[in-house]
Amino acid sequence: AQSVSQHNHHVILSEAASLELGCNYSYGGTVNLFWYVQYPGQHLQLLLKYFSGDPLVKGIKGFEAEFIKSKFSFNLRKPSVQWSDTAEYFCAVIDRGSTLGRLYFGRGTQLTVWP
Amino acid sequence: DGGITQSPKYLFRKEGQNVTLSCEQNLNHDAMYWYRQDPGQGLRLIYYSQIVNDFQKGDIAEGYSVSREKKESFPLTVTSAQKNPTAFYLCASGFTGTGAFSGNTIYFGEGSWLTVV
């Protein structure tokens, strides 16, 4: 079974600071990778996804993530965070070789941005 | 509007009672999922279904039951056997197919808060 590790449980930054949230997964086969965001009081929304092609993926609101296959990583980055980025961020992986089609989630990283 | 609808949004239950959470989608998705979200534990999979009349247990299925009689509906019953039912429950759906969701994404409903009193 897959496992997904998010190394930072809670990150606190000031506005304009740069952000990098780590995500590693365990499976060595072909995967689809996702970052979801959950703003306070809201449902999970897709931030960005990687299926194939360019390993540097750009998402909404200035976020990007880089897939490094050799490191089994899919870290989320943003050059300059805003107060409105305060949210919980979840990394997720699906094994494309599996017929079960289930999505594995990390435990989430709570990001707090101070104005 | 297209999307995933969960109801009720807030629910209180007395200990010993079963409760059913509704999840309906009009996105024509084949697969549907139920997750439980607890602080600091992320999302844990309860049950999932790839096709009508078929479903599989996830990682924490004990104390829960589901049915998939229609493609658009995947209700979750939290039974009295569930030891710690107070949580936020999320329903999700997506397409299945070759390449395991190749090109497709899982979408989430707004969630249901269940509190056992």
Side-chain angles (χ1 to χ4, degrees):
Chain A
Q2 275 276 11
S3 67
V4 181
S5 299
Q6 291 184 241
H7 315 297
N8 315 102
H9 298 298
H10 195 179
V11 173
I12 302 173
L13 296 172
S14 299
E15 275 195 320
S18 64
L19 169 72
E20 182 160 2
L21 301 182
C23 173
N24 287 88
Y25 62 95
S26 61
Y27 180 67
T30 304
V31 294
N32 290 347
L33 298 153
F34 306 83
W35 275 97
Y36 285 87
V37 59
Q38 189 175 33
Y39 297 103
Q42 296 188 27
H43 62 285
L44 276 162
Q45 302 169 42
L46 182 68
L47 198 55
L48 49 77
K49 61 186 179 184
Y50 171 80
F51 289 152
S52 64
D54 189 344
L56 185 61
V57 179
K58 295 196 183 296
I60 60 171
K61 303 185 180 185
F63 286 91
E64 65 180 29
E66 185 175 13
F67 171 50
I68 303 179
K69 189 174 181 179
S70 60
K71 295 185 178 180
F72 302 101
S73 71
F74 190 55
N75 292 355
L76 182 70
R77 300 194 293 246
K78 186 171 184 179
S80 176
V81 295
Q82 300 172 314
W83 175 79
S84 58
D85 293 324
T86 294
E88 191 157 20
Y89 294 81
F90 294 93
C91 180
V93 174
I94 190 166
D95 172 11
R96 291 181 63 178
S98 169
T99 57
L100 297 177
R102 56 166 294 181
L103 196 60
Y104 293 86
F105 280 89
R107 288 194 168 193
T109 298
Q110 176 63 48
L111 171 65
T112 302
V113 180
W114 294 105
Chain B
D1 285 344
I4 302 169
T5 302
Q6 289 187 239
S7 63
K9 191 165 185 177
Y10 299 97
L11 185 62
F12 294 87
R13 186 196 92 176
K14 290 184 179 179
E15 277 193 29
Q17 289 181 336
N18 292 353
V19 63
T20 297
L21 307 180
S22 169
C23 179
E24 303 277 331
Q25 53 96 3
N26 60 5
L27 301 168
N28 201 32
H29 286 163
D30 305 297
M32 296 187 74
Y33 305 80
W34 275 105
Y35 287 89
R36 171 179 169 145
Q37 186 177 12
D38 297 280
Q41 297 198 54
L43 279 76
R44 293 183 291 169
L45 183 65
I46 305 172
Y47 269 99
Y48 61 112
S49 168
Q50 300 260 292
I51 56 172
V52 174
N53 293 323
D54 188 40
F55 47 82
Q56 288 80 38
K57 292 182 178 180
D59 299 320
I60 55 165
E62 186 176 351
Y64 298 98
S65 66
V66 293
S67 63
R68 188 84 187 277
E69 296 177 2
K70 298 185 296 182
K71 186 177 184 177
E72 59 270 22
S73 178
F74 192 42
L76 173 74
T77 297
V78 185
T79 74
S80 56
Q82 168 52 232
K83 301 297 182 191
N84 297 295
T86 295
F88 185 52
Y89 291 88
L90 283 164
C91 179
S93 70
F95 287 112
T96 58
T98 58
F101 284 81
S102 175
N104 293 309
T105 302
I106 291 179
Y107 296 92
F108 286 83
E110 295 196 357
S112 294
W113 286 97
L114 172 63
T115 302
V116 175
V117 297

